[in-house]
Amino acid sequence: MSSSGIKSRDAFATTLGAFTATVGSAIGLGNIWKFPYLTGSNGGAAFVLAYLLCVALVGIPIMIAEHVIGRRTRQNAVQAYETVIPRQRGWSAIGWGGLVAAVLIMAFYTDVAGWVFAYVFKSLRAFVVGTTLGQGDFAALAGGTWEPLAWQLGVLALACFIIASGVSKGIERATKTLMPLLFVLLLICDVRALSLPGASAGVSYLFRPDLAKLTAPVLLAALGLAFFKLSLGMGTMTTYGSYLPEATRIFPNAARVAVADTVVSLLAGLAIFPAVFAFGGTPAGGPGLLFNTIPLVFAKMPAGGLFTTLFFILTAVATIGAMVSLIEVPVAWLTEKRRLSRPVAAIVTGAGMFALGALATLSQSPVLSGVKIFGKSFFDLFDFLSSNLLLPLGGLAIAVVAGWLLARTDFQAELDKGFAARPWHTKLMSAFVKFVAPVLILVILLDSLGILRLS
Ligand code: PHE
């Protein structure tokens, strides 16, 4: 229970707990699967650079804005935005957009998480029989019908079960213990990948930008990824803000989360691209990149198959933290506004997510692979609509609320909490939330619509 004495709501017990839970939401498939996959399909280092700038200039300020609004209102995302500005209930649209985004994200996220869980077992079996998983194995899994559906359903059921058991107990405990392990295993992967002959080409691919590659779609993808990875623009971080202890210092907490999240992404990139180049693969390998590369990284190592299995186990754990935070958005609303019990709310939410999720999964099997909407499969469409559209738009609206409508003194008072005197960053961050972040989001969105030409 937080020091503010809220009795009716669950809350993070300590600042450390709040930090690890926030990191637990941020770190997930976004780092391990999506960051390498998008970096590979958007041309490498230029994308990484754009992504890092988006995190620093947009991501951190929006995370701060969400935490301020969450902690001030201490409500679920929909009600937080409904009440944060008196007599302007319409901002609850941010919360509604967030509910939609959460369901859209979960639709493809659970598909990928299902692959991860499947790979835990597949890599263990490969180890036992003495083979290595190859491209054909991934294609067979992702392109199948019942198998990926069953994994998706299993993963969703597990996440809903965790959610039903409560905030601090469920989320904090799992993330605190297992995240450091993932970190160590990524380091082992990196050492292994970097020592492969030809690995340096992968390092340059990741860190030597060719600025000519910074086109409008690349910038939009980088912005979308920054939102997606830091769980921003849809109320997750607002909800988590509502659980923050009064003593937690909002800016240092957000900055640490962003740094930790970025480090994990770069570590994942350093495990994958050197290996891709060393084995003569293609960086633009699409969503299968992670699954096709990691088994190769470990293939020739002693007990490599066991490391592969461990890698997918820890990735599975990371996906749970993120999924739990996604499901928490609708569940917090259903329990507080609609007065459903947590288990019922979790079941209702999970059922809705599975309905859409099945479309995303089947869009890669012969069943629905022929169906394209705006030229995209359901899987790609859900991803594009949520990451590249709803989250940045949500972020823009959040910046308007926190930067322009909320009284500046109120905004700054939240940033000052936990400090004896006003820290250096309070004024800087209010300027970022008010000007820098919204202007950048707007420019990138307009650029990608062709209304404004940057490049
Ligand atoms: N940040 C999570 C990840 O990187 C995904 C996520 C997005 C979680 C939005 C919550 C909200 O995997």
Side-chain angles (χ1 to χ4, degrees):
M1 185 74 9
S2 91
S3 55
S4 66
I6 353 150
K7 292 266 155 25
S8 57
R9 303 181 83 234
D10 212 340
F12 299 130
T14 59
T15 291
L16 179 65
F19 169 74
T20 45
T22 317
V23 168
S25 161
I27 294 180
L29 290 174
N31 309 61
I32 297 166
W33 163 73
K34 205 175 188 198
F35 172 79
Y37 143 51
L38 287 186
T39 300
S41 35
N42 285 289
F47 174 83
V48 175
L49 180 68
Y51 168 73
L52 293 177
L53 288 174
C54 286
V55 168
L57 303 176
V58 180
I60 294 178
I62 299 295
M63 185 177 294
I64 288 175
E66 292 206 38
H67 283 171
V68 164
I69 293 168
R71 190 164 71 180
R72 267 187 72 74
T73 53
R74 297 257 181 228
Q75 286 181 0
N76 64 74
V78 173
Q79 285 174 293
Y81 289 103
E82 196 169 275
T83 55
V84 66
I85 308 297
R87 292 183 302 283
Q88 296 197 15
R89 302 174 65 85
W91 293 106
S92 63
I94 296 172
W96 292 112
L99 291 183
V100 175
V103 175
L104 284 175
I105 290 176
M106 279 299 279
F108 69 89
Y109 207 93
T110 47
D111 185 18
V112 182
W115 301 339
V116 171
F117 277 77
Y119 258 59
V120 170
F121 293 92
K122 288 184 190 295
S123 49
L124 188 61
R125 197 179 49 207
F127 171 66
V128 172
V129 300
T131 56
T132 304
L133 292 169
Q135 305 232 349
D137 294 292
F138 176 74
L141 170 66
T145 303
W146 296 110
E147 191 184 358
L149 272 184
W151 283 110
Q152 181 177 36
L153 187 61
V155 159
L156 199 51
L158 177 65
C160 287
F161 174 76
I162 295 177
I163 264 291
S165 70
V167 179
S168 34
K169 277 182 277 135
I171 310 177
E172 276 185 45
R173 207 183 310 140
T175 43
K176 225 185 277 180
T177 39
L178 290 163
M179 281 295 144
L181 260 182
L182 176 66
F183 186 80
V184 172
L185 196 70
L186 276 174
L187 281 178
I188 297 178
C189 281
D190 286 356
V191 171
R192 171 71 194 145
L194 288 169
S195 59
L196 290 167
S200 61
V203 180
S204 324
Y205 184 78
L206 209 49
F207 293 118
R208 284 199 139 165
D210 167 6
L211 296 184
K213 293 202 169 131
L214 284 181
T215 57
V218 170
L219 283 177
L220 182 65
L223 180 73
L225 181 64
F227 272 95
F228 181 87
K229 290 229 309 76
L230 295 174
S231 316
L232 299 172
M234 50 167 287
T236 296
M237 283 299 162
T238 312
T239 307
Y240 275 40
S242 77
Y243 302 135
L244 281 186
E246 290 293 314
T248 297
R249 301 165 165 191
I250 285 185
F251 170 76
N253 184 59
R256 268 181 226 131
V257 170
V259 169
D261 183 76
T262 305
V263 168
V264 172
S265 307
L266 293 175
L267 288 181
L270 277 175
I272 290 185
F273 289 107
V276 166
F277 281 88
F279 294 117
T282 147
L289 187 64
L290 172 78
F291 301 90
N292 290 328
T293 311
I294 289 296
L296 291 182
V297 172
F298 290 120
K300 299 226 166 58
M301 245 169 85
L306 274 189
F307 278 95
T308 311
T309 309
L310 190 59
F311 180 90
F312 284 108
I313 290 178
L314 293 175
T315 305
V317 171
T319 66
I320 291 179
M323 284 192 290
V324 157
S325 75
L326 278 158
I327 304 177
E328 179 66 19
V329 178
V331 166
W333 175 74
L334 285 171
T335 47
E336 285 170 32
K337 184 86 173 192
R338 308 251 80 137
R339 302 263 161 246
L340 297 186
S341 69
R342 266 187 97 78
V344 174
I347 290 172
V348 171
T349 307
M353 289 170 168
F354 185 63
L356 273 190
L359 288 179
T361 301
L362 293 179
S363 72
Q364 293 166 81
S365 85
V367 183
L368 287 180
S369 63
V371 183
K372 298 273 185 273
I373 298 165
F374 304 119
K376 292 187 189 306
S377 65
F378 281 112
F379 184 97
D380 291 337
L381 183 73
F382 294 158
D383 185 4
F384 183 88
L385 285 180
S386 52
S387 309
N388 294 8
L389 218 62
L390 284 175
L391 301 187
L393 282 176
L396 186 59
I398 289 166
V400 169
V401 170
W404 294 85
L405 301 175
L406 190 68
R408 208 167 50 151
T409 43
D410 289 344
F411 180 85
Q412 297 189 342
E414 283 296 330
L415 288 191
D416 289 345
K417 280 187 185 163
F419 292 96
R422 165 154 295 175
W424 59 271
H425 48 73
T426 293
K427 288 207 161 132
L428 185 70
M429 281 301 124
S430 26
F432 264 70
V433 170
K434 191 161 182 165
F435 301 110
V436 180
V439 167
L440 279 174
I441 298 173
L442 206 59
V443 165
I444 293 178
L445 283 177
L446 293 178
D447 183 35
S448 66
L449 289 174
I451 298 175
L452 193 125
R453 273 275 152 256
L454 288 179
S455 43

